[in-house]
mmCIF file of all heavy atoms in Angstrom:
data_model
loop_
_atom_site.group_PDB
_atom_site.id
_atom_site.type_symbol
_atom_site.label_atom_id
_atom_site.label_comp_id
_atom_site.label_asym_id
_atom_site.label_seq_id
_atom_site.Cartn_x
_atom_site.Cartn_y
_atom_site.Cartn_z
ATOM 1 N N ASN A 1 -13.854 11.185 -31.580
ATOM 2 C CA ASN A 1 -14.081 12.417 -31.070
ATOM 3 C C ASN A 1 -14.215 12.474 -29.523
ATOM 4 O O ASN A 1 -15.108 11.642 -29.134
ATOM 5 C CB ASN A 1 -15.327 12.994 -31.757
ATOM 6 C CG ASN A 1 -15.371 13.007 -33.314
ATOM 7 O OD1 ASN A 1 -14.403 13.650 -33.831
ATOM 8 N ND2 ASN A 1 -16.238 12.341 -33.925
ATOM 9 N N GLU A 2 -13.564 13.275 -28.929
ATOM 10 C CA GLU A 2 -13.499 13.288 -27.449
ATOM 11 C C GLU A 2 -14.132 14.602 -26.892
ATOM 12 O O GLU A 2 -13.651 15.664 -27.209
ATOM 13 C CB GLU A 2 -12.103 13.097 -26.891
ATOM 14 C CG GLU A 2 -11.495 11.668 -27.305
ATOM 15 C CD GLU A 2 -10.135 11.555 -26.775
ATOM 16 O OE1 GLU A 2 -9.283 12.559 -26.620
ATOM 17 O OE2 GLU A 2 -9.758 10.369 -26.398
ATOM 18 N N LEU A 3 -15.112 14.383 -26.076
ATOM 19 C CA LEU A 3 -15.821 15.571 -25.434
ATOM 20 C C LEU A 3 -15.440 15.625 -23.962
ATOM 21 O O LEU A 3 -15.796 14.757 -23.243
ATOM 22 C CB LEU A 3 -17.412 15.317 -25.535
ATOM 23 C CG LEU A 3 -18.258 16.309 -24.874
ATOM 24 C CD1 LEU A 3 -17.973 17.752 -25.634
ATOM 25 C CD2 LEU A 3 -19.715 15.953 -25.155
ATOM 26 N N PHE A 4 -14.729 16.687 -23.640
ATOM 27 C CA PHE A 4 -14.214 16.901 -22.233
ATOM 28 C C PHE A 4 -15.210 17.702 -21.506
ATOM 29 O O PHE A 4 -15.637 18.796 -21.921
ATOM 30 C CB PHE A 4 -12.950 17.570 -22.256
ATOM 31 C CG PHE A 4 -11.751 16.688 -22.832
ATOM 32 C CD1 PHE A 4 -11.500 16.666 -24.194
ATOM 33 C CD2 PHE A 4 -10.995 15.995 -21.991
ATOM 34 C CE1 PHE A 4 -10.530 15.846 -24.679
ATOM 35 C CE2 PHE A 4 -9.979 15.209 -22.428
ATOM 36 C CZ PHE A 4 -9.774 15.108 -23.775
ATOM 37 N N LEU A 5 -15.730 17.125 -20.392
ATOM 38 C CA LEU A 5 -16.855 17.708 -19.605
ATOM 39 C C LEU A 5 -16.433 18.010 -18.199
ATOM 40 O O LEU A 5 -15.516 17.349 -17.633
ATOM 41 C CB LEU A 5 -18.088 16.809 -19.502
ATOM 42 C CG LEU A 5 -18.528 16.286 -20.954
ATOM 43 C CD1 LEU A 5 -19.652 15.156 -20.690
ATOM 44 C CD2 LEU A 5 -19.130 17.456 -21.679
ATOM 45 N N SER A 6 -17.041 18.881 -17.624
ATOM 46 C CA SER A 6 -16.850 19.180 -16.135
ATOM 47 C C SER A 6 -18.151 18.938 -15.388
ATOM 48 O O SER A 6 -18.923 18.217 -15.936
ATOM 49 C CB SER A 6 -16.278 20.618 -15.849
ATOM 50 O OG SER A 6 -17.311 21.505 -16.263
ATOM 51 N N GLU A 7 -18.353 19.620 -14.240
ATOM 52 C CA GLU A 7 -19.593 19.421 -13.528
ATOM 53 C C GLU A 7 -20.609 20.563 -13.645
ATOM 54 O O GLU A 7 -21.498 20.702 -12.974
ATOM 55 C CB GLU A 7 -19.234 19.257 -11.896
ATOM 56 C CG GLU A 7 -18.335 17.983 -11.745
ATOM 57 C CD GLU A 7 -17.713 18.055 -10.350
ATOM 58 O OE1 GLU A 7 -17.776 19.117 -9.686
ATOM 59 O OE2 GLU A 7 -17.184 16.926 -9.975
ATOM 60 N N ASN A 8 -20.246 21.518 -14.593
ATOM 61 C CA ASN A 8 -21.166 22.637 -14.800
ATOM 62 C C ASN A 8 -22.381 22.238 -15.683
ATOM 63 O O ASN A 8 -22.510 21.140 -16.314
ATOM 64 C CB ASN A 8 -20.399 23.798 -15.408
ATOM 65 C CG ASN A 8 -19.841 23.489 -16.868
ATOM 66 O OD1 ASN A 8 -20.364 22.750 -17.568
ATOM 67 N ND2 ASN A 8 -18.662 24.073 -17.092
ATOM 68 N N GLU A 9 -23.337 23.114 -15.759
ATOM 69 C CA GLU A 9 -24.569 22.947 -16.479
ATOM 70 C C GLU A 9 -24.465 22.711 -17.995
ATOM 71 O O GLU A 9 -25.189 21.861 -18.556
ATOM 72 C CB GLU A 9 -25.536 24.101 -16.156
ATOM 73 C CG GLU A 9 -25.979 24.173 -14.727
ATOM 74 C CD GLU A 9 -26.540 25.638 -14.429
ATOM 75 O OE1 GLU A 9 -26.294 26.590 -15.142
ATOM 76 O OE2 GLU A 9 -27.311 25.770 -13.446
ATOM 77 N N ILE A 10 -23.527 23.379 -18.550
ATOM 78 C CA ILE A 10 -23.333 23.321 -20.035
ATOM 79 C C ILE A 10 -22.776 21.929 -20.317
ATOM 80 O O ILE A 10 -23.162 21.324 -21.379
ATOM 81 C CB ILE A 10 -22.461 24.383 -20.657
ATOM 82 C CG1 ILE A 10 -22.891 25.794 -20.229
ATOM 83 C CG2 ILE A 10 -22.214 24.194 -22.115
ATOM 84 C CD1 ILE A 10 -24.225 26.013 -20.698
ATOM 85 N N SER A 11 -21.896 21.437 -19.507
ATOM 86 C CA SER A 11 -21.464 20.023 -19.644
ATOM 87 C C SER A 11 -22.482 19.039 -19.489
ATOM 88 O O SER A 11 -22.640 18.035 -20.184
ATOM 89 C CB SER A 11 -20.311 19.720 -18.586
ATOM 90 O OG SER A 11 -19.169 20.549 -18.777
ATOM 91 N N VAL A 12 -23.511 19.268 -18.503
ATOM 92 C CA VAL A 12 -24.588 18.395 -18.405
ATOM 93 C C VAL A 12 -25.408 18.303 -19.622
ATOM 94 O O VAL A 12 -25.832 17.241 -20.106
ATOM 95 C CB VAL A 12 -25.403 18.759 -17.154
ATOM 96 C CG1 VAL A 12 -26.733 17.997 -17.152
ATOM 97 C CG2 VAL A 12 -24.670 18.600 -15.833
ATOM 98 N N PHE A 13 -25.644 19.512 -20.221
ATOM 99 C CA PHE A 13 -26.496 19.539 -21.470
ATOM 100 C C PHE A 13 -25.797 18.721 -22.605
ATOM 101 O O PHE A 13 -26.409 17.914 -23.336
ATOM 102 C CB PHE A 13 -26.497 21.007 -21.930
ATOM 103 C CG PHE A 13 -26.808 21.252 -23.364
ATOM 104 C CD1 PHE A 13 -28.003 20.685 -23.988
ATOM 105 C CD2 PHE A 13 -25.894 21.861 -24.143
ATOM 106 C CE1 PHE A 13 -28.208 20.827 -25.309
ATOM 107 C CE2 PHE A 13 -26.207 21.990 -25.526
ATOM 108 C CZ PHE A 13 -27.333 21.562 -26.099
ATOM 109 N N LEU A 14 -24.555 18.840 -22.739
ATOM 110 C CA LEU A 14 -23.830 18.206 -23.859
ATOM 111 C C LEU A 14 -23.784 16.585 -23.484
ATOM 112 O O LEU A 14 -23.914 15.787 -24.440
ATOM 113 C CB LEU A 14 -22.407 18.745 -24.047
ATOM 114 C CG LEU A 14 -22.421 20.158 -24.633
ATOM 115 C CD1 LEU A 14 -20.918 20.674 -24.542
ATOM 116 C CD2 LEU A 14 -22.956 20.161 -26.063
ATOM 117 N N GLU A 15 -23.642 16.319 -22.295
ATOM 118 C CA GLU A 15 -23.742 14.928 -21.888
ATOM 119 C C GLU A 15 -25.151 14.295 -22.172
ATOM 120 O O GLU A 15 -25.266 13.099 -22.701
ATOM 121 C CB GLU A 15 -23.349 14.653 -20.379
ATOM 122 C CG GLU A 15 -23.232 13.344 -20.010
ATOM 123 C CD GLU A 15 -22.799 13.202 -18.501
ATOM 124 O OE1 GLU A 15 -22.544 14.213 -17.819
ATOM 125 O OE2 GLU A 15 -22.646 12.009 -18.044
ATOM 126 N N ILE A 16 -26.154 15.049 -21.767
ATOM 127 C CA ILE A 16 -27.552 14.636 -22.123
ATOM 128 C C ILE A 16 -27.689 14.482 -23.606
ATOM 129 O O ILE A 16 -28.297 13.445 -24.082
ATOM 130 C CB ILE A 16 -28.586 15.583 -21.491
ATOM 131 C CG1 ILE A 16 -28.534 15.500 -19.960
ATOM 132 C CG2 ILE A 16 -29.996 15.304 -22.086
ATOM 133 C CD1 ILE A 16 -29.336 16.499 -19.427
ATOM 134 N N LEU A 17 -27.236 15.434 -24.372
ATOM 135 C CA LEU A 17 -27.453 15.418 -25.877
ATOM 136 C C LEU A 17 -26.701 14.301 -26.412
ATOM 137 O O LEU A 17 -27.314 13.519 -27.319
ATOM 138 C CB LEU A 17 -26.908 16.776 -26.411
ATOM 139 C CG LEU A 17 -26.887 16.896 -27.955
ATOM 140 C CD1 LEU A 17 -28.333 16.913 -28.394
ATOM 141 C CD2 LEU A 17 -26.270 18.152 -28.442
ATOM 142 N N SER A 18 -25.542 13.900 -25.927
ATOM 143 C CA SER A 18 -24.843 12.810 -26.424
ATOM 144 C C SER A 18 -25.516 11.473 -26.219
ATOM 145 O O SER A 18 -25.511 10.606 -26.964
ATOM 146 C CB SER A 18 -23.364 12.705 -25.844
ATOM 147 O OG SER A 18 -22.536 13.892 -26.131
ATOM 148 N N SER A 19 -26.203 11.472 -25.049
ATOM 149 C CA SER A 19 -26.918 10.216 -24.666
ATOM 150 C C SER A 19 -28.202 10.219 -25.495
ATOM 151 O O SER A 19 -28.584 9.108 -26.045
ATOM 152 C CB SER A 19 -27.353 10.258 -23.234
ATOM 153 O OG SER A 19 -28.185 9.230 -22.855
ATOM 154 N N TYR A 20 -28.959 11.245 -25.628
ATOM 155 C CA TYR A 20 -30.191 11.273 -26.392
ATOM 156 C C TYR A 20 -30.035 10.955 -27.874
ATOM 157 O O TYR A 20 -30.857 10.230 -28.473
ATOM 158 C CB TYR A 20 -30.922 12.672 -26.243
ATOM 159 C CG TYR A 20 -32.259 12.667 -26.883
ATOM 160 C CD1 TYR A 20 -33.321 11.970 -26.391
ATOM 161 C CD2 TYR A 20 -32.415 13.437 -28.062
ATOM 162 C CE1 TYR A 20 -34.611 12.050 -26.927
ATOM 163 C CE2 TYR A 20 -33.640 13.494 -28.642
ATOM 164 C CZ TYR A 20 -34.816 12.712 -28.068
ATOM 165 O OH TYR A 20 -35.955 12.824 -28.644
ATOM 166 N N THR A 21 -28.917 11.425 -28.456
ATOM 167 C CA THR A 21 -28.707 11.180 -29.880
ATOM 168 C C THR A 21 -28.001 9.820 -30.108
ATOM 169 O O THR A 21 -27.634 9.402 -31.303
ATOM 170 C CB THR A 21 -27.836 12.287 -30.548
ATOM 171 O OG1 THR A 21 -26.576 12.389 -29.720
ATOM 172 C CG2 THR A 21 -28.573 13.616 -30.487
ATOM 173 N N ARG A 22 -27.628 9.108 -28.974
ATOM 174 C CA ARG A 22 -26.861 7.907 -29.043
ATOM 175 C C ARG A 22 -25.401 7.944 -29.565
ATOM 176 O O ARG A 22 -24.820 7.087 -30.016
ATOM 177 C CB ARG A 22 -27.554 6.808 -29.905
ATOM 178 C CG ARG A 22 -29.082 6.569 -29.523
ATOM 179 C CD ARG A 22 -29.226 6.007 -28.125
ATOM 180 N NE ARG A 22 -30.690 5.652 -27.795
ATOM 181 C CZ ARG A 22 -30.986 5.300 -26.548
ATOM 182 N NH1 ARG A 22 -30.195 5.149 -25.628
ATOM 183 N NH2 ARG A 22 -32.355 5.118 -26.345
ATOM 184 N N ALA A 23 -24.901 9.284 -29.555
ATOM 185 C CA ALA A 23 -23.650 9.488 -29.953
ATOM 186 C C ALA A 23 -22.550 8.737 -29.159
ATOM 187 O O ALA A 23 -21.505 8.106 -29.700
ATOM 188 C CB ALA A 23 -23.343 10.954 -29.980
ATOM 189 N N SER A 24 -22.834 8.574 -27.890
ATOM 190 C CA SER A 24 -21.874 7.863 -26.999
ATOM 191 C C SER A 24 -22.062 6.402 -27.200
ATOM 192 O O SER A 24 -21.059 5.674 -27.302
ATOM 193 C CB SER A 24 -22.316 8.221 -25.465
ATOM 194 O OG SER A 24 -22.108 9.579 -25.232
#
């Protein structure tokens, strides 16, 4: 599964969530 992110706040949220849940 590939999560495409930019530099906006919503992308930051999903990046943090992926890290916190250890999904990455």
Side-chain angles (χ1 to χ4, degrees):
N1 303 300
E2 296 181 326
L3 179 58
F4 291 84
L5 305 168
S6 66
E7 298 168 346
N8 61 32
E9 295 164 337
I10 305 302
S11 291
V12 171
F13 157 60
L14 293 172
E15 187 175 359
I16 290 174
L17 179 65
S18 297
S19 174
Y20 183 71
T21 58
R22 306 295 183 186
S24 301

